Amino acid sequence: MRLPRTRRARVTASLTVLAVLVTGSVVIGRTAGPTHTTARPAGTGAPRGAHHRPPRPAIVPRTAWHAESVSTAPAARYAPAVRAAVIHHTSTPNDYDCVSVPGTLRGLYAGHAHGRHWDDIGYNFLVDACGTIYEGRAGGVDRAVIGAHTKGFNEGTVGIAAIGTFPEGTPVPEPMLDAIARLVAWKLDPAGPDPRGTVRLVSTSDESRFPEGTKAALPVVGGHTDGYPTGCPGAALYARLPDLSARVARLQRR
């Protein structure tokens, strides 16, 4: 039987109010538990740890310092993520003018790519005394490029070289430390461990401090000497690493 129009309208309105009341009771019930997460469609929202990802700092590309290309160089290799940062120094003089740094980089490139036959500079990034960050090894600054900077622990780490030499008693320029902190905070896996802590990495070389296959606990923000028997990055810079890791943690809002 077809209802009169006025009665159909009243029935529809009643059903609408009932639906609102029922829906409201479900939402209120959800506030007591964690089931609200099921309301988010799959694939939406920020990825895990995204709130620990600060903005990308300014980075001078390889083309700007005229990096050469070795025609026989193999394609870049990549790790799943950057789990730790390894800090180095370049063992070059400290009394440089920052405008001369591109020439220093070309000299380092020649020593690594041609002198050591690595086909490219070993460090992923280099930072000068003025706080300028330079792209080092090819493969893309946004990606987890496997470098040639820490034998045994190149995979899953980012190698950052402070341009200069930092034995005990040598001042480490503040702009350099600030730039390294911003770079490390951006490059580390935001879903990874706290930069003030340690991370487990598997050694790939018996020439490192740990036999091949050993799962070593290394600082998330550490020095070259932590994984390989060397004096790098120098006693003065190494002594600043706890402060550096604290800066990284603040930048990641830890």
Side-chain angles (χ1 to χ4, degrees), residues 196-227:
R196 295 163 293 192
T198 59
V199 62
R200 292 279 182 176
L201 299 174
V202 178
S203 172
T204 61
S205 174
D206 286 332
E207 295 182 44
S208 75
R209 288 195 182 276
F210 305 89
E212 183 176 351
T214 302
K215 185 177 286 188
L218 294 176
V220 176
V221 181
H224 188 187
T225 188
D226 289 312

mmCIF file of all heavy atoms in Angstrom, residues 196-227:
data_model
loop_
_atom_site.group_PDB
_atom_site.id
_atom_site.type_symbol
_atom_site.label_atom_id
_atom_site.label_comp_id
_atom_site.label_asym_id
_atom_site.label_seq_id
_atom_site.Cartn_x
_atom_site.Cartn_y
_atom_site.Cartn_z
ATOM 1 N N ARG A 196 70.615 9.072 20.120
ATOM 2 C CA ARG A 196 71.498 9.077 21.284
ATOM 3 C C ARG A 196 71.848 7.663 21.745
ATOM 4 O O ARG A 196 72.634 7.500 22.681
ATOM 5 C CB ARG A 196 70.828 9.840 22.429
ATOM 6 C CG ARG A 196 70.633 11.313 22.143
ATOM 7 C CD ARG A 196 69.629 11.959 23.064
ATOM 8 N NE ARG A 196 68.279 11.455 22.828
ATOM 9 C CZ ARG A 196 67.176 12.001 23.330
ATOM 10 N NH1 ARG A 196 67.278 13.077 24.085
ATOM 11 N NH2 ARG A 196 65.991 11.480 23.073
ATOM 12 N N GLY A 197 71.280 6.660 21.057
ATOM 13 C CA GLY A 197 71.484 5.283 21.463
ATOM 14 C C GLY A 197 72.382 4.507 20.524
ATOM 15 O O GLY A 197 73.237 5.060 19.829
ATOM 16 N N THR A 198 72.183 3.185 20.505
ATOM 17 C CA THR A 198 72.982 2.298 19.674
ATOM 18 C C THR A 198 72.080 1.531 18.715
ATOM 19 O O THR A 198 70.858 1.493 18.875
ATOM 20 C CB THR A 198 73.776 1.297 20.530
ATOM 21 O OG1 THR A 198 72.861 0.513 21.315
ATOM 22 C CG2 THR A 198 74.744 2.013 21.446
ATOM 23 N N VAL A 199 72.721 0.923 17.728
ATOM 24 C CA VAL A 199 72.000 0.130 16.744
ATOM 25 C C VAL A 199 72.836 -1.106 16.440
ATOM 26 O O VAL A 199 74.070 -1.070 16.505
ATOM 27 C CB VAL A 199 71.756 0.956 15.453
ATOM 28 C CG1 VAL A 199 73.057 1.358 14.788
ATOM 29 C CG2 VAL A 199 70.856 0.206 14.485
ATOM 30 N N ARG A 200 72.191 -2.216 16.119
ATOM 31 C CA ARG A 200 72.889 -3.456 15.788
ATOM 32 C C ARG A 200 73.153 -3.504 14.283
ATOM 33 O O ARG A 200 72.217 -3.457 13.484
ATOM 34 C CB ARG A 200 72.054 -4.669 16.208
ATOM 35 C CG ARG A 200 71.927 -4.825 17.715
ATOM 36 C CD ARG A 200 73.154 -5.483 18.294
ATOM 37 N NE ARG A 200 73.031 -5.697 19.742
ATOM 38 C CZ ARG A 200 73.938 -6.315 20.468
ATOM 39 N NH1 ARG A 200 75.036 -6.782 19.904
ATOM 40 N NH2 ARG A 200 73.773 -6.460 21.771
ATOM 41 N N LEU A 201 74.420 -3.604 13.913
ATOM 42 C CA LEU A 201 74.820 -3.699 12.523
ATOM 43 C C LEU A 201 75.734 -4.908 12.357
ATOM 44 O O LEU A 201 76.557 -5.192 13.223
ATOM 45 C CB LEU A 201 75.554 -2.429 12.078
ATOM 46 C CG LEU A 201 74.770 -1.113 12.150
ATOM 47 C CD1 LEU A 201 75.687 0.061 11.809
ATOM 48 C CD2 LEU A 201 73.576 -1.141 11.206
ATOM 49 N N VAL A 202 75.590 -5.604 11.235
ATOM 50 C CA VAL A 202 76.388 -6.804 10.987
ATOM 51 C C VAL A 202 77.646 -6.446 10.202
ATOM 52 O O VAL A 202 77.573 -5.833 9.135
ATOM 53 C CB VAL A 202 75.564 -7.853 10.217
ATOM 54 C CG1 VAL A 202 76.420 -9.090 9.922
ATOM 55 C CG2 VAL A 202 74.324 -8.256 11.012
ATOM 56 N N SER A 203 78.797 -6.828 10.736
ATOM 57 C CA SER A 203 80.069 -6.559 10.065
ATOM 58 C C SER A 203 80.185 -7.388 8.790
ATOM 59 O O SER A 203 79.823 -8.560 8.757
ATOM 60 C CB SER A 203 81.230 -6.890 11.005
ATOM 61 O OG SER A 203 82.465 -6.818 10.318
ATOM 62 N N THR A 204 80.717 -6.755 7.750
ATOM 63 C CA THR A 204 80.920 -7.450 6.480
ATOM 64 C C THR A 204 82.397 -7.644 6.167
ATOM 65 O O THR A 204 82.747 -8.057 5.069
ATOM 66 C CB THR A 204 80.255 -6.667 5.330
ATOM 67 O OG1 THR A 204 80.865 -5.366 5.246
ATOM 68 C CG2 THR A 204 78.763 -6.528 5.546
ATOM 69 N N SER A 205 83.271 -7.353 7.145
ATOM 70 C CA SER A 205 84.710 -7.460 6.887
ATOM 71 C C SER A 205 85.471 -7.788 8.161
ATOM 72 O O SER A 205 85.243 -7.180 9.209
ATOM 73 C CB SER A 205 85.256 -6.168 6.286
ATOM 74 O OG SER A 205 86.664 -6.219 6.165
ATOM 75 N N ASP A 206 86.419 -8.730 8.052
ATOM 76 C CA ASP A 206 87.286 -9.062 9.174
ATOM 77 C C ASP A 206 88.268 -7.936 9.479
ATOM 78 O O ASP A 206 88.913 -7.951 10.525
ATOM 79 C CB ASP A 206 88.067 -10.345 8.870
ATOM 80 C CG ASP A 206 87.198 -11.597 8.956
ATOM 81 O OD1 ASP A 206 86.214 -11.583 9.724
ATOM 82 O OD2 ASP A 206 87.484 -12.573 8.236
ATOM 83 N N GLU A 207 88.406 -6.983 8.562
ATOM 84 C CA GLU A 207 89.317 -5.871 8.782
ATOM 85 C C GLU A 207 88.710 -4.776 9.654
ATOM 86 O O GLU A 207 89.405 -3.831 10.031
ATOM 87 C CB GLU A 207 89.765 -5.290 7.446
ATOM 88 C CG GLU A 207 90.598 -6.249 6.608
ATOM 89 C CD GLU A 207 91.054 -5.618 5.310
ATOM 90 O OE1 GLU A 207 91.502 -4.453 5.356
ATOM 91 O OE2 GLU A 207 90.953 -6.267 4.264
ATOM 92 N N SER A 208 87.426 -4.894 9.957
ATOM 93 C CA SER A 208 86.803 -3.930 10.853
ATOM 94 C C SER A 208 87.137 -4.300 12.293
ATOM 95 O O SER A 208 87.906 -5.235 12.548
ATOM 96 C CB SER A 208 85.280 -3.933 10.651
ATOM 97 O OG SER A 208 84.694 -5.081 11.239
ATOM 98 N N ARG A 209 86.575 -3.594 13.253
ATOM 99 C CA ARG A 209 86.804 -3.930 14.659
ATOM 100 C C ARG A 209 86.084 -5.215 15.060
ATOM 101 O O ARG A 209 86.306 -5.743 16.168
ATOM 102 C CB ARG A 209 86.345 -2.789 15.563
ATOM 103 C CG ARG A 209 87.236 -1.555 15.526
ATOM 104 C CD ARG A 209 86.936 -0.633 16.693
ATOM 105 N NE ARG A 209 87.739 0.576 16.661
ATOM 106 C CZ ARG A 209 88.976 0.675 17.132
ATOM 107 N NH1 ARG A 209 89.565 -0.393 17.648
ATOM 108 N NH2 ARG A 209 89.626 1.830 17.076
ATOM 109 N N PHE A 210 85.218 -5.715 14.195
ATOM 110 C CA PHE A 210 84.415 -6.891 14.514
ATOM 111 C C PHE A 210 84.535 -7.905 13.385
ATOM 112 O O PHE A 210 84.430 -7.542 12.208
ATOM 113 C CB PHE A 210 82.948 -6.486 14.707
ATOM 114 C CG PHE A 210 82.756 -5.410 15.746
ATOM 115 C CD1 PHE A 210 82.800 -4.061 15.398
ATOM 116 C CD2 PHE A 210 82.538 -5.735 17.077
ATOM 117 C CE1 PHE A 210 82.630 -3.066 16.346
ATOM 118 C CE2 PHE A 210 82.367 -4.744 18.032
ATOM 119 C CZ PHE A 210 82.410 -3.414 17.666
ATOM 120 N N PRO A 211 84.753 -9.188 13.680
ATOM 121 C CA PRO A 211 84.867 -10.200 12.638
ATOM 122 C C PRO A 211 83.625 -10.217 11.742
ATOM 123 O O PRO A 211 82.520 -9.896 12.181
ATOM 124 C CB PRO A 211 85.008 -11.506 13.422
ATOM 125 C CG PRO A 211 85.516 -11.098 14.768
ATOM 126 C CD PRO A 211 84.917 -9.761 15.031
ATOM 127 N N GLU A 212 83.836 -10.580 10.494
ATOM 128 C CA GLU A 212 82.732 -10.655 9.546
ATOM 129 C C GLU A 212 81.614 -11.537 10.100
ATOM 130 O O GLU A 212 81.859 -12.617 10.625
ATOM 131 C CB GLU A 212 83.219 -11.217 8.220
ATOM 132 C CG GLU A 212 82.150 -11.272 7.153
ATOM 133 C CD GLU A 212 82.683 -11.755 5.821
ATOM 134 O OE1 GLU A 212 83.923 -11.879 5.678
ATOM 135 O OE2 GLU A 212 81.857 -12.026 4.920
ATOM 136 N N GLY A 213 80.392 -11.038 9.986
ATOM 137 C CA GLY A 213 79.228 -11.775 10.477
ATOM 138 C C GLY A 213 78.829 -11.415 11.891
ATOM 139 O O GLY A 213 77.745 -11.798 12.345
ATOM 140 N N THR A 214 79.673 -10.658 12.592
ATOM 141 C CA THR A 214 79.363 -10.258 13.964
ATOM 142 C C THR A 214 78.291 -9.174 13.974
ATOM 143 O O THR A 214 78.369 -8.207 13.217
ATOM 144 C CB THR A 214 80.611 -9.719 14.680
ATOM 145 O OG1 THR A 214 81.617 -10.729 14.674
ATOM 146 C CG2 THR A 214 80.297 -9.314 16.111
ATOM 147 N N LYS A 215 77.311 -9.331 14.837
ATOM 148 C CA LYS A 215 76.296 -8.284 15.007
ATOM 149 C C LYS A 215 76.797 -7.353 16.111
ATOM 150 O O LYS A 215 76.758 -7.691 17.297
ATOM 151 C CB LYS A 215 74.942 -8.883 15.368
ATOM 152 C CG LYS A 215 73.820 -7.860 15.452
ATOM 153 C CD LYS A 215 72.479 -8.513 15.730
ATOM 154 C CE LYS A 215 71.934 -9.224 14.499
ATOM 155 N NZ LYS A 215 70.545 -9.709 14.714
ATOM 156 N N ALA A 216 77.286 -6.202 15.701
ATOM 157 C CA ALA A 216 77.914 -5.268 16.636
ATOM 158 C C ALA A 216 76.946 -4.170 17.047
ATOM 159 O O ALA A 216 76.131 -3.706 16.249
ATOM 160 C CB ALA A 216 79.151 -4.647 15.987
ATOM 161 N N ALA A 217 77.053 -3.754 18.298
ATOM 162 C CA ALA A 217 76.280 -2.610 18.791
ATOM 163 C C ALA A 217 77.120 -1.357 18.593
ATOM 164 O O ALA A 217 78.147 -1.175 19.245
ATOM 165 C CB ALA A 217 75.927 -2.801 20.256
ATOM 166 N N LEU A 218 76.695 -0.502 17.681
ATOM 167 C CA LEU A 218 77.433 0.717 17.367
ATOM 168 C C LEU A 218 76.574 1.936 17.655
ATOM 169 O O LEU A 218 75.333 1.861 17.609
ATOM 170 C CB LEU A 218 77.835 0.714 15.892
ATOM 171 C CG LEU A 218 78.835 -0.366 15.461
ATOM 172 C CD1 LEU A 218 79.053 -0.303 13.956
ATOM 173 C CD2 LEU A 218 80.149 -0.199 16.198
ATOM 174 N N PRO A 219 77.191 3.083 17.931
ATOM 175 C CA PRO A 219 76.396 4.298 18.144
ATOM 176 C C PRO A 219 75.607 4.652 16.890
ATOM 177 O O PRO A 219 76.102 4.501 15.772
ATOM 178 C CB PRO A 219 77.454 5.367 18.445
ATOM 179 C CG PRO A 219 78.685 4.609 18.821
ATOM 180 C CD PRO A 219 78.642 3.327 18.067
ATOM 181 N N VAL A 220 74.384 5.119 17.086
ATOM 182 C CA VAL A 220 73.597 5.590 15.943
ATOM 183 C C VAL A 220 74.311 6.776 15.295
ATOM 184 O O VAL A 220 74.336 6.909 14.076
ATOM 185 C CB VAL A 220 72.170 5.974 16.386
ATOM 186 C CG1 VAL A 220 71.383 6.555 15.223
ATOM 187 C CG2 VAL A 220 71.450 4.753 16.953
ATOM 188 N N VAL A 221 74.891 7.642 16.105
ATOM 189 C CA VAL A 221 75.730 8.737 15.616
ATOM 190 C C VAL A 221 77.124 8.496 16.181
ATOM 191 O O VAL A 221 77.405 8.808 17.337
ATOM 192 C CB VAL A 221 75.189 10.110 16.049
ATOM 193 C CG1 VAL A 221 76.069 11.224 15.494
ATOM 194 C CG2 VAL A 221 73.749 10.298 15.571
ATOM 195 N N GLY A 222 77.991 7.903 15.375
ATOM 196 C CA GLY A 222 79.312 7.522 15.858
ATOM 197 C C GLY A 222 80.422 7.998 14.950
ATOM 198 O O GLY A 222 80.189 8.660 13.931
ATOM 199 N N GLY A 223 81.634 7.652 15.322
ATOM 200 C CA GLY A 223 82.792 8.020 14.532
ATOM 201 C C GLY A 223 83.333 6.840 13.760
ATOM 202 O O GLY A 223 83.006 5.679 14.058
ATOM 203 N N HIS A 224 84.167 7.121 12.785
ATOM 204 C CA HIS A 224 84.801 6.076 11.985
ATOM 205 C C HIS A 224 85.508 5.062 12.886
ATOM 206 O O HIS A 224 85.470 3.849 12.649
ATOM 207 C CB HIS A 224 85.788 6.746 11.027
ATOM 208 C CG HIS A 224 86.377 5.836 10.003
ATOM 209 N ND1 HIS A 224 87.384 6.238 9.157
ATOM 210 C CD2 HIS A 224 86.123 4.539 9.678
ATOM 211 C CE1 HIS A 224 87.714 5.237 8.354
ATOM 212 N NE2 HIS A 224 86.977 4.194 8.660
ATOM 213 N N THR A 225 86.127 5.543 13.942
ATOM 214 C CA THR A 225 86.889 4.680 14.835
ATOM 215 C C THR A 225 86.032 3.663 15.582
ATOM 216 O O THR A 225 86.549 2.661 16.082
ATOM 217 C CB THR A 225 87.677 5.531 15.855
ATOM 218 O OG1 THR A 225 88.547 4.683 16.600
ATOM 219 C CG2 THR A 225 86.746 6.268 16.808
ATOM 220 N N ASP A 226 84.726 3.903 15.672
ATOM 221 C CA ASP A 226 83.854 2.953 16.372
ATOM 222 C C ASP A 226 83.739 1.623 15.630
ATOM 223 O O ASP A 226 83.543 0.579 16.255
ATOM 224 C CB ASP A 226 82.459 3.554 16.570
ATOM 225 C CG ASP A 226 82.454 4.670 17.597
ATOM 226 O OD1 ASP A 226 83.031 4.468 18.683
ATOM 227 O OD2 ASP A 226 81.892 5.743 17.318
ATOM 228 N N GLY A 227 83.845 1.673 14.324
ATOM 229 C CA GLY A 227 83.701 0.441 13.550
ATOM 230 C C GLY A 227 84.967 -0.042 12.894
ATOM 231 O O GLY A 227 85.033 -1.185 12.426
#
